[in-house]
Amino acid sequence: MLEGLREKVLDANLELVRQGLVLYTFGNASGIDRASGLVVIKPSGVPYEAMKVLDLVITDLDGRVVEGSLRPSSDLATHLEIYKAFPAVGGVAHTHSRAATAWAQAAKEIPCFGTTHADYFHGPVPVTPGLAPEEVHGDYERETGRVIVRRFADLDPMGVPAALVSGHAPFCWGKTPAQAAYVSTVLEAVARMAIETLAISPDARGLPQYILDKHYFRKHGPGATYGQTLEPR
Ligand SMILES: [Zn+2]
C-alpha cells in the first residue's frame, strides 16, 4: 500500500541523517496521501541504517495502524495534528538538530537577520508557549501538535514552514516529505547563522521588511522568478 509514498518517506528520513540533523534514532519524517487520508511514518526506535521501506508504518489520521508490524514513531500524534490543521502540508519532519534546538531550549523565536532566512521563511521562525503540566501528563505528543497549531493562529504555515517547540526542538513541514527534510536542513543553517550573528553583534537588528518580502516572494508565490522549480518535490 502507498509504495511510492513509502519510498519518499524513507528517503526523507535518511536525508535527515545524511545532513547530520539526527543522532541515533532521534528524529522522524512522515508523509500523507491526501486522497486516502493515510499517513506513512518512521517506525519507533529502528536504527536508520537498518530501516527498510516495509518497516514504515501506515496509519489513519486518528493514529490507528492500517499497515505495518512495527509501532509508529512516538511523535506520530504531533505529525497528525499538523496534517489535520494545515491542509497544504504533505510532509513533516522532526529533528533535534543542534542550533535549532538551542533556540527552542532558549524559548526564543529565530529572528530574520538575513536573506538566507528570508528566502525560506517569511518572518521569524516562531517558538511555541510551554506546555502546562496537565498537557504534558495527558496526551503529550498530541498537545505538542496542538500548541504548534495554536501558535500559527495568525501565521501562514506555508509561509513559515517550521515551529520551535519550547524546551524541545523544531518541527518542519512542506508540500512533500522531501521538502520537510529540506526545510529542516535550511532551518539548522539559518539557526546557526543567527547565533553567530548575535555572537558578533548582540544588538543585531532583523532584516527590514521590504528586503524580507523581496527575497521571500522572489522564490515563492505567483511572481517567483528564482530558479526553475521550488526545491525537491
Ligand atoms: Zn523530539
Side-chain angles (χ1 to χ4, degrees):
M1 185 188 283
L2 300 178
E3 279 74 16
L5 186 58
R6 279 177 176 278
E7 294 275 0
K8 288 176 182 161
V9 170
L10 178 62
D11 193 57
N13 276 287
L14 297 179
E15 178 66 4
L16 301 179
V17 178
R18 287 192 291 266
Q19 295 298 336
L21 303 180
V22 298
L23 289 170
Y24 298 110
T25 60
F26 299 1
N28 38 71
S30 70
I32 188 168
D33 175 55
R34 288 286 178 186
S36 61
L38 296 177
V39 171
V40 179
I41 192 165
K42 177 178 172 279
S44 180
V46 175
Y48 286 89
E49 59 272 20
M51 204 184 305
K52 303 277 189 300
V53 174
L54 287 175
D55 292 336
L56 298 172
V57 185
I58 301 182
T59 79
D60 64 17
L61 276 168
D62 295 319
R64 280 185 291 263
V65 174
V66 173
E67 189 174 84
S69 53
L70 299 171
R71 276 192 306 122
S73 163
S74 54
D75 291 316
L76 169 67
T78 310
H79 291 233
L80 296 180
E81 291 304 309
I82 292 169
Y83 287 127
K84 284 192 273 191
F86 305 153
V89 171
V92 174
H94 171 55
T95 78
H96 290 195
S97 68
R98 189 166 177 156
T101 299
W103 284 93
Q105 293 185 170
K108 297 240 186 233
E109 67 177 21
I110 306 176
C112 181
F113 285 129
T115 63
T116 319
H117 181 127
D119 280 340
Y120 297 95
F121 305 101
H122 191 213
V125 177
V127 66
T128 69
L131 291 176
E134 59 273 22
E135 292 172 320
V136 173
H137 296 142
D139 196 345
Y140 174 54
E141 290 79 12
R142 190 169 177 208
E143 296 296 348
T144 298
R146 286 178 163 176
V147 78
I148 292 171
V149 171
R150 283 202 299 278
R151 183 64 187 80
F152 274 76
D154 298 318
L155 291 173
D156 170 11
M158 302 318 280
V160 181
L164 305 172
V165 176
S166 182
H168 184 176
F171 281 79
C172 299
W173 50 83
K175 289 180 184 163
T176 63
Q179 280 191 9
Y182 184 93
V183 171
S184 302
T185 306
V186 173
L187 175 67
E188 178 61 12
V190 161
R192 194 174 307 138
M193 286 177 202
I195 292 168
E196 290 168 1
T197 302
L198 288 170
I200 296 165
S201 176
D203 52 1
R205 296 283 201 83
L207 200 64
Q209 188 70 36
Y210 61 93
I211 305 181
L212 201 172
D213 287 347
K214 174 73 182 176
H215 271 264
Y216 184 77
F217 291 117
R218 208 170 61 143
K219 277 195 158 226
H220 307 267
T225 56
Y226 184 92
Q228 305 304 316
T229 60
L230 273 182
E231 284 73 72
R233 287 168 187 276

